[in-house]
Amino acid sequence: MAFLTALIVAVGLAVLVPLASTASAAQCTTAWNSSTVYTGGLSASYNGHNWSAKWWTQNETPGTAAVWADQGVCGSTGGSGGTTGGTGSCDYPAWVAGRAYVTGDVVKYTDGNAYRAEHDNPGYDPVISTWYWEPYTCGGTPTTPPGQGGFPVSESQFNQMFPSRNSFYSYSGLTAALSAYPGFANTGSDTVKRQEAAAFLANVNHETGGLVYIVEQNTANYPHYCDASQSYGCPAGQAAYYGRGPIQLSWNFNYKAAGDALGIDLLHNPNLVQNDSSVAWKTGLWYWNTQSGPGTMTPHNAMVNGAGFGETIRSINGSIECNGGNPAQVQSRIDAYQRFVQILGVPAGNNLGC
């Protein structure tokens, strides 16, 4: 008890020492550590400021918790007023792979930019996980997320998912196609948005061999995709409606329906799906967002309503793969999905199989 009293007295004296009040910034105290216990009056530096604990605290980030009192800018100001302004010195600690970070931590990455932890994480790469990290300016304002058009997958993440992809399947083609279905990967929580994007790309990965194949490889199947009983027939030719694009759109009736929905005459011009990247991506999004296939719901609804990744497989290939039809193919899709959600920094969720 005597030791505790002495500690309190010492701490009480410490807060009587004034911080520097000159125009230059004060010296930064020891950097804040999430595992350290701070009692009232103890100081720590964080994000270019000194902070003083008002009472006992542990793992409460300075600047985001009421327990911390801001004591002002500390350290080098870089000639521009410390942390105020977007071009001043961002004197944040360097990011370290594998080191645990908590919400609010700001680090300087190897690209020279600062990133703020949106969620606690065990040291994920700031430019890989947009769920756990967001770009950060010296003034404390998050910058625009890396994905285009609000898409929760950045181009660098897309390239990481598909390191051997055919250049036809471009990121710009995908983001250009998003306007056709604005609810895709843009419905629900940030986690759900990322899960849906990962689910779509995992199925696309399986259908195309990692975004390598633009057209169906088994040419013997080509003449089978013409349902001549349709009133419009097969005007592009008996063997013209083979699988194309990220979802391998096939059959004359699917080309007709997708074209009608997208305002593109695909019935007469099916080759647009293998010649125009944006059109190809749009056909994949058309199926994903509007077609139940052999399932009971669209893949989009399966992801945003919590039915799980397994139901997206059922909506694409039904009993051909599900219910024991081809468990190896199902597992291939699941494996890709699990890789992709890890890249995006979100859990896979339940009901992965079908």
Side-chain angles (χ1 to χ4, degrees):
M1 182 65 70
F3 171 77
L4 178 61
T5 303
L7 175 62
I8 294 173
V9 171
V11 166
L13 289 174
V15 298
L16 296 178
V17 179
L19 294 170
S21 58
T22 62
S24 61
Q27 185 74 24
C28 285
T29 61
T30 304
W32 174 78
N33 187 298
S34 61
S35 62
T36 299
V37 172
Y38 297 90
T39 54
L42 288 182
S43 298
S45 63
Y46 183 76
N47 283 0
H49 282 231
N50 280 326
W51 303 84
S52 176
K54 299 177 184 177
W55 53 82
W56 189 99
T57 178
Q58 183 181 30
N59 197 25
E60 292 181 285
T61 309
T64 64
V67 65
W68 290 102
D70 188 355
Q71 301 297 300
V73 175
C74 69
S76 172
T77 64
S80 62
T83 60
T84 60
T87 60
S89 173
C90 292
D91 203 12
Y92 302 122
W95 170 78
V96 179
R99 173 185 170 184
Y101 292 97
V102 299
T103 304
D105 280 352
V106 178
V107 297
K108 180 171 284 188
Y109 188 56
T110 54
D111 61 4
N113 296 318
Y115 295 84
R116 179 183 182 275
E118 291 185 275
H119 301 89
D120 295 358
N121 71 85
Y124 295 134
D125 193 311
V127 299
I128 295 302
S129 175
T130 55
W131 168 249
Y132 287 106
W133 294 98
E134 62 181 353
Y136 195 81
T137 67
C138 295
T141 304
T143 60
T144 303
Q148 296 180 11
F151 189 50
V153 180
S154 70
E155 186 166 9
S156 63
Q157 290 169 333
F158 179 75
N159 290 335
Q160 183 183 3
M161 292 172 178
F162 303 104
S164 302
R165 66 178 172 83
N166 190 308
S167 60
F168 173 79
Y169 291 115
S170 64
Y171 181 77
S172 60
L174 172 56
T175 55
L178 296 177
S179 60
Y181 294 96
F184 167 71
N186 197 30
T187 303
S189 67
D190 286 344
T191 296
V192 170
K193 293 173 184 176
R194 289 172 169 82
Q195 286 173 336
E196 184 182 7
F200 172 74
L201 292 173
N203 280 297
V204 160
N205 174 82
H206 183 81
E207 296 292 329
T208 62
L211 287 187
V212 172
Y213 301 115
I214 302 172
V215 302
E216 184 175 352
Q217 296 301 288
N218 188 353
T219 57
N221 282 340
Y222 285 16
H224 299 162
Y225 297 120
C226 174
D227 180 2
S229 69
Q230 301 294 331
S231 60
Y232 42 78
C234 300
Q238 178 75 22
Y241 302 100
Y242 51 84
R244 294 177 176 89
I247 210 75
Q248 291 291 282
L249 185 72
S250 55
W251 290 97
N252 55 334
F253 48 80
N254 279 329
Y255 277 86
K256 174 70 163 59
D260 288 349
L262 298 169
I264 307 169
D265 185 4
L266 297 180
L267 182 67
H268 291 86
N269 302 285
N271 280 337
L272 285 173
V273 184
Q274 70 187 64
N275 294 329
D276 187 312
S277 178
S278 180
V279 171
W281 282 115
K282 284 180 180 179
T283 63
L285 293 175
W286 165 78
Y287 191 94
W288 184 268
N289 289 278
T290 69
Q291 303 300 298
S292 299
T296 60
M297 64 190 76
T298 67
H300 169 73
N301 285 337
M303 294 308 297
V304 301
N305 293 326
F309 178 72
E311 286 304 309
T312 72
I313 304 173
R314 190 182 304 279
S315 297
I316 292 171
N317 257 2
S319 60
I320 295 175
E321 294 185 15
C322 296
N323 303 325
N326 196 328
Q329 296 296 301
V330 171
Q331 191 59 51
S332 172
R333 295 179 192 264
I334 293 172
D335 290 346
Y337 175 63
Q338 290 178 320
R339 288 198 309 272
F340 292 173
V341 293
Q342 183 176 17
I343 289 173
L344 298 180
V346 292
N350 299 320
N351 305 321
L352 299 185
C354 62

